[in-house]
Amino acid sequence: MNEKFIEEAAEHFKALLKEQIERQERMEKAAVKTDFNSIPKLTIGLIDGDGIGPVIMAVAEKLLNELLKDDIASGKAELKKIEGLTIENRLALNKAVPDDVLAEIKKCDVLLKGPTTTPKGGSMESANVCLRRELDLYANVRPVSIPEKGIDWCFFRENTEGEYTLGSRGIELSDKLSMDFKVTTDAGTRRIARAAFDYARANGKTNVSIVTKANIMKKTDGMFSRIAHEVGESYPEITADDYYIDIMCANLVNEDIRSKFQVFLLPNLYGDIITDEAAQIQGGVGTAGSANIGDRYAMFEAIHGSAPRKVERGEGAYANPESILKAAEMLLRHVGKADKAERLEKAIALCKKEGRVVMTGHADGATAAEFGEYILEKL
């Protein structure tokens, strides 16, 4: 039995290896970046998602309609609802992203997406992972800002490789062992590194922290660190330093040194974990937005999950929409509408400072809809 399993696993790995080599070769070809200024009609796809997703997305949709009302009226922009990316539909079809849904998504220029539920166990991968791969959204960008504590961080997480790209396609020998695979490519690492260093240069930052576990994952993380430093050599005004992920997680809660960090560059899994920690320091995962950016498409979302337990408790209506609104703000900046993004940012800040409508996430506070109306009033 073991010999048969080894042979089958070897064939499985051979197919995966061939697939990833072909992907690397595709990435080596120059990609054409979307010029949003040249698009006659900007199509923004809206995906509700699962759990609390429809609640918070309803707030975001109302505010986007207000902010973009002139562009919508003149035919320069469209808010397009994308149906079918629900856990029920995905389970029924056994597809992370159903084909018809993906086809509609690809008709959009950018997406604002509510959280989607990923089933535990089984073979169905995360809808997010699938979308990042299908749309080649290689840069996950998550800013965290706490001015009163001197914190102004921006995380650049590689979004299409690492443990996630083949995470649902490992091998398993019942009652004996399971193995998953981690992937790092030259082209994939170079493009996320350039994105991080370009951001640092454009925003006057002087330091990029490369975060890996290269002392243990010597092949994959070692390659990521090496290439990141090679890219950094083209940015002589920016210092690049190395940290291991475990000590960096500790450094983020070390008040004596954490304010010195500026831009972070990380492989996929580490970036996923540490950005939740950073968001918690900012005030909770409900306060942070997230951008998934590629050359052709971009997707913006809340960094938290679908909170099924909150829905089960009957508190779904009280979900904090701030994270998805931060994502909407990032979307507006990405498509060249910084003035509208600043209006939204200032309105949210004013509402939080004034405190007339307070969200607690529970029935003793305001609902998401009430908080949304408060922000709409300030706009």
Side-chain angles (χ1 to χ4, degrees):
M1 178 183 174
N2 285 354
E3 285 300 322
K4 181 182 178 183
F5 169 76
I6 291 170
E7 290 175 6
E8 291 174 349
E11 286 301 311
H12 179 64
F13 181 68
K14 180 180 178 181
L16 294 178
L17 184 59
K18 181 179 178 182
E19 172 192 294
Q20 293 304 306
I21 291 172
E22 290 172 351
R23 187 176 69 87
Q24 154 75 16
E25 291 172 349
R26 287 196 302 273
M27 286 189 290
E28 288 174 347
K29 299 176 182 177
V32 178
K33 293 192 175 184
T34 298
D35 178 5
F36 289 99
N37 293 321
S38 67
I39 296 175
K41 183 178 183 179
L42 176 69
T43 302
I44 301 172
L46 303 178
I47 302 173
D48 282 349
D50 303 310
I52 62 171
V55 173
I56 60 175
M57 279 296 295
V59 176
E61 183 178 357
K62 180 174 281 191
L63 292 171
L64 282 175
N65 266 305
E66 172 62 24
L67 288 161
L68 296 171
K69 61 184 178 183
D70 292 339
D71 289 333
I72 293 171
S74 65
K76 294 180 180 178
E78 174 191 6
L79 300 182
K80 178 184 177 69
K81 289 298 287 284
I82 306 293
E83 306 290 348
L85 199 68
T86 63
I87 184 61
E88 295 82 8
N89 192 40
R90 289 182 285 131
L91 284 173
L93 298 172
N94 195 30
K95 292 276 288 186
V97 179
D99 294 341
D100 59 335
V101 177
L102 182 60
E104 289 301 305
I105 284 172
K106 287 186 174 180
K107 294 177 184 178
C108 303
D109 300 301
V110 291
L111 301 166
L112 185 67
K113 176 186 162 295
T116 46
T117 298
T118 302
K120 292 182 180 178
S123 60
M124 184 184 293
E125 72 176 342
S126 154
N128 273 5
V129 172
C130 180
L131 285 171
R132 289 165 183 164
R133 181 181 65 251
E134 291 291 337
L135 305 179
D136 202 20
L137 306 176
Y138 59 84
N140 185 232
V141 184
R142 295 183 176 182
V144 169
S145 177
I146 315 172
E148 64 274 19
K149 295 184 178 180
I151 291 174
D152 184 16
W153 297 331
C154 195
F155 296 84
F156 280 76
R157 164 195 173 194
E158 200 294 316
N159 217 19
T160 60
E161 300 191 347
E163 294 82 354
Y164 287 31
T165 188
L166 298 175
S168 61
R169 300 167 67 188
I171 55 176
E172 183 175 9
L173 180 59
S174 297
D175 301 323
K176 292 188 181 296
L177 64 86
S178 296
M179 292 180 66
D180 284 323
F181 303 107
K182 178 170 180 172
V183 179
T184 299
T185 67
D186 184 285
T189 304
R190 288 187 189 281
R191 64 185 185 177
I192 187 63
R194 282 195 296 269
F197 281 97
D198 282 345
Y199 171 86
R201 173 173 282 173
N203 289 274
K205 306 299 183 182
T206 58
N207 177 258
V208 172
S209 298
I210 301 162
V211 185
T212 66
K213 194 65 176 170
N215 57 331
I216 303 299
M217 307 300 291
K218 295 180 185 294
K219 298 290 189 296
T220 49
D221 286 10
M223 180 179 184
F224 188 97
S225 177
R226 173 179 59 78
I227 292 172
H229 279 285
E230 287 177 8
V231 171
E233 290 173 2
S234 298
Y235 303 78
E237 77 279 18
I238 298 169
T239 300
D241 49 25
D242 274 293
Y243 287 88
Y244 296 138
I245 181 61
D246 43 1
I247 192 61
M248 183 55 83
C249 286
N251 286 341
L252 293 195
V253 294
N254 184 339
E255 295 184 1
D256 293 334
I257 64 171
R258 64 186 182 183
S259 61
K260 82 181 184 71
F261 297 111
Q262 298 177 345
V263 180
F264 301 79
L265 172 59
L266 315 92
N268 206 333
L269 176 61
Y270 312 142
D272 191 5
I273 294 168
I274 203 170
T275 51
D276 277 8
E277 180 194 13
Q280 192 64 35
I281 294 168
Q282 180 176 253
V285 292
T287 67
S290 176
N292 302 270
I293 298 171
D295 293 324
R296 167 65 180 88
Y297 298 100
M299 179 175 73
F300 300 81
E301 59 185 344
I303 75 167
H304 56 71
S306 58
R309 286 188 292 272
K310 180 179 282 291
V311 175
E312 290 168 4
R313 293 195 301 265
E315 292 186 327
Y318 299 93
N320 189 341
E322 187 175 351
S323 184
I324 199 69
L325 297 183
K326 288 289 183 75
E329 177 197 325
M330 296 174 75
L331 183 155
L332 291 168
R333 292 187 192 281
H334 185 72
V335 299
K337 299 186 183 299
D339 56 334
K340 294 174 173 57
E342 286 167 12
R343 283 182 62 198
L344 180 57
E345 180 184 23
K346 289 177 181 177
I348 294 170
L350 183 58
C351 289
K352 291 175 71 175
K353 181 179 180 180
E354 192 176 88
R356 180 163 54 83
V357 177
V358 178
M359 296 211 66
T360 65
H362 305 287
D364 60 350
T367 65
E370 289 167 342
F371 190 61
E373 289 297 326
Y374 186 25
I375 297 171
L376 189 63
E377 173 191 318
K378 297 303 179 185
L379 281 178

